[in-house]
Amino acid sequence: MNAKTVVIRLSDGGTATAAEPDWCRGEHDVVDALADVLHDGQEIVARIHLRGRTFEALQASLTQQPFASDPAARRPYVSALIDGVWVRLDAGEVLEVAAALEAHAGRLRALGGELAGLGRT
């Protein structure tokens, strides 16, 4: 984190100044309380292009809630949308998700190979 700061707008018309990490996109909504402040990094998403359509899977970004009542949320974490639920992940859990995706990709390749072997490509 550097010495960069951001002015947060509060719903009651007030403002607050907060330190802002380098990775934050700098887009902050008006919040009711400082505990609602979120720092969000650039979102990554798996985009799957099929038959002229684009599907999105597994959104993730760095996130931090610097004024949260939960001390764990005050430290940066990865916020990921998994099975329709936003999940807070630490570094080890991010690696677990990546390993699960790699294993799943292997199973998908095998399934595609099996389908091709049936003559249905």
Side-chain angles (χ1 to χ4, degrees), residues 62-93:
L62 283 173
T63 303
Q64 182 184 23
Q65 298 167 267
F67 304 105
S69 58
D70 178 358
R74 291 184 212 144
R75 295 185 301 275
Y77 57 90
V78 168
S79 182
L81 185 61
I82 301 173
D83 198 21
V85 177
W86 284 102
V87 181
R88 183 188 311 162
L89 303 172
D90 64 26
E93 292 167 329

Side-chain angles (χ1 to χ4, degrees), residues 14-94:
T15 61
T17 301
E20 182 163 68
D22 289 334
W23 49 262
C24 182
R25 292 177 302 147
E27 299 171 7
H28 299 279
D29 294 329
V30 175
V31 297
D32 291 330
L34 283 178
D36 301 328
V37 172
L38 286 174
H39 291 303
D40 284 315
Q42 185 63 43
E43 183 178 270
I44 61 170
V45 62
R47 288 189 174 81
I48 304 162
H49 305 284
L50 295 170
R51 300 178 183 172
R53 292 184 60 196
T54 300
F55 302 88
E56 293 186 347
L58 197 63
Q59 297 166 278
S61 66
L62 283 173
T63 303
Q64 182 184 23
Q65 298 167 267
F67 304 105
S69 58
D70 178 358
R74 291 184 212 144
R75 295 185 301 275
Y77 57 90
V78 168
S79 182
L81 185 61
I82 301 173
D83 198 21
V85 177
W86 284 102
V87 181
R88 183 188 311 162
L89 303 172
D90 64 26
E93 292 167 329
V94 171

